[in-house]
Amino acid sequence: DVKPENLLIGPSQHGGALKCADMGIAVPSKDARLYRGPAGTPGWAAPEATVRHAELGPHCDTYSAAAVVFYSVCGKAFNGLMSDKERTMLKAAAGEEIAELITASLSPDVKRRPTQDRILDVLASLGANRGRTYVFA
């Protein structure tokens, strides 16, 4: 369940690793399609995750992670609509490319959300170390 209260940041001397503390609905990614909704916490879970018999997978984690970034920047939970002010706040805090990535990741349409590989590619193009371990699912 990706939401602020389940995220832990490790000590800076160990790289400040971000870890998810609640893995109650986690399954190996190869088995993700076996788990069917509803799951997750309303307000943080992807819209499709809250529907019975919905197919869950990495696209749900993408949405939830973007919702956490939105909350961190805008100071409130994402309610399904992004105002111009909130879009401007995201751009100011993270830059145009990341703001676009977050906006796309919050799409209610699963097919419009970027894949996790696409997210990592954008981060790498902006200087993030692709060699580090990033775990999303």
Side-chain angles (χ1 to χ4, degrees):
D1 207 3
V2 181
K3 59 185 178 181
E5 52 267 34
N6 287 345
L7 299 177
L8 307 173
I9 300 173
S12 58
Q13 68 267 31
H14 298 290
L18 181 66
K19 297 181 180 191
C20 188
D22 179 358
M23 305 302 280
I25 62 170
V27 296
S29 59
K30 66 179 177 54
D31 298 330
R33 297 193 188 283
L34 300 177
Y35 194 97
R36 303 256 181 208
T41 303
W44 301 106
E48 67 275 10
T50 62
V51 178
R52 194 172 204 35
H53 301 297
E55 199 169 279
L56 307 181
H59 55 278
C60 296
D61 295 331
T62 296
Y63 181 97
S64 296
V68 169
V69 172
F70 179 91
Y71 174 79
S72 298
V73 171
C74 298
K76 65 177 193 168
F78 182 65
N79 67 4
L81 300 171
M82 191 179 305
S83 70
D84 289 339
K85 178 182 176 184
E86 292 161 343
R87 200 171 270 109
T88 300
M89 290 171 71
L90 280 174
K91 287 179 187 175
E96 183 79 30
E97 287 180 276
I98 298 294
E100 288 176 14
L101 203 60
I102 297 303
T103 301
S105 296
L106 289 169
S107 174
D109 181 354
V110 173
K111 291 177 173 54
R112 294 188 59 147
R113 288 185 209 147
T115 64
Q116 293 170 351
D117 281 338
R118 172 72 182 131
I119 293 168
L120 292 176
D121 288 344
V122 169
L123 293 174
S125 76
L126 296 172
N129 184 350
R130 179 75 186 214
R132 292 203 52 182
T133 302
Y134 299 93
V135 178
F136 289 93

